[in-house]
Amino acid sequence: QKEVEQNSGPLSVPEGAIASLNCTYSDRGSQSFFWYRQYSGKSPELIMSIYSNGDKEDGRFTAQLNKASQYVSLLIRDSQPSDSATYLCAVARSNDYKLSFGAGTTVTVRA
Amino acid sequence: SAVISQKPSRDICQRGTSLTIQCQVDSQVTMMFWYRQQPGQSLTLIATANQGSEATYESGFVIDKFPISRPNLTFSTLTVSNMSPEDSSIYLCSVAQTGVETQYFGPGTRLLVL
């Protein structure tokens, strides 16, 4: 079983719609959860971090964490063509800062 | 967040040779890491670069193949030794501060080994 699994893509959504990305993790000791966005040919860019159960909103992005279910998600509201990228879920234990990444979900927003 | 630069940004190398990649940060950081991203794949942690001591390598990565230096809190190097085509990847450094678990990535070094 992979440490971090993301829903398989690619995910295609129309402009203005909600894109929903899912991620599950296997290590119950995980304490920190991150979503990175990676444009083609670029390095990962942090868009959200979440540490507590519940929702965290930042602009058009909402991260949701459920530690009991070992599940973290990212919602992108009012999707724009500029949101077209690969989204990487990353998970870390609290004591060593090492990130385990999922395989990524590629999102395409259709104009 | 810190500004991170990497040199070179890309390179094409012959098999059997070695390449040293530099990572420079514009402020002191406590944690520095090196990742590899193979074509079409996600990121895999190679090692944690420890200031003043030997790097801590992840399973599957060894010092002889990927020697790492970190002489101070703003600079680190990763060497890819005795390269083969399988080493063709993007190599990324990342930084974090103790107590702040968020990691930020440098722009990456795109390596092609022929």
Side-chain angles (χ1 to χ4, degrees), chain A residues 6 31-32 34 36 38 41-46 49 51 88 92-104, chain B residues 31 33 35 37 41-45 48 56 58 90 92 96-108 110:
Chain A
Q6 296 184 236
Q31 295 292 327
S32 307
F34 307 91
Y36 286 85
Q38 187 173 28
K42 301 294 185 181
S43 65
E45 171 193 12
L46 180 71
S49 61
Y51 305 98
L88 301 168
R93 285 178 165 267
S94 63
N95 59 347
D96 61 16
Y97 302 88
K98 298 177 184 178
L99 292 178
S100 295
F101 282 85
Chain B
M31 313 287 285
F33 304 90
Y35 289 82
Q37 187 172 30
Q41 304 295 314
S42 191
L43 283 75
T44 301
L45 179 63
T48 303
T56 305
E58 298 301 302
I90 301 172
L92 298 128
Q97 296 286 17
T98 302
V100 181
E101 296 172 19
T102 306
Q103 284 186 36
Y104 297 94
F105 285 85
R110 286 151 183 80

Side-chain angles (χ1 to χ4, degrees), chain A residues 4-35:
Chain A
V4 182
E5 297 203 46
Q6 296 184 236
N7 51 326
S8 59
L11 179 64
S12 180
V13 299
E15 185 173 358
I18 296 174
S20 178
L21 306 173
N22 301 319
C23 175
T24 59
Y25 58 94
S26 61
D27 185 352
R28 285 197 172 274
S30 301
Q31 295 292 327
S32 307
F33 307 87
F34 307 91
W35 285 98

Side-chain angles (χ1 to χ4, degrees), chain A residues 49-110:
Chain A
S49 61
I50 188 166
Y51 305 98
S52 303
N53 283 328
D55 295 359
K56 179 181 179 181
E57 186 174 317
D58 184 358
R60 294 185 295 109
F61 299 97
T62 299
Q64 300 173 317
L65 174 62
N66 183 327
K67 290 185 179 180
S69 300
Q70 297 175 242
Y71 173 90
V72 58
S73 67
L74 180 71
L75 298 177
I76 307 173
R77 293 185 303 280
D78 187 23
S79 296
Q80 302 296 308
S82 60
D83 295 326
S84 297
T86 297
Y87 290 80
L88 301 168
C89 173
V91 175
R93 285 178 165 267
S94 63
N95 59 347
D96 61 16
Y97 302 88
K98 298 177 184 178
L99 292 178
S100 295
F101 282 85
T105 300
T106 299
V107 174
T108 301
V109 181
R110 310 187 304 271

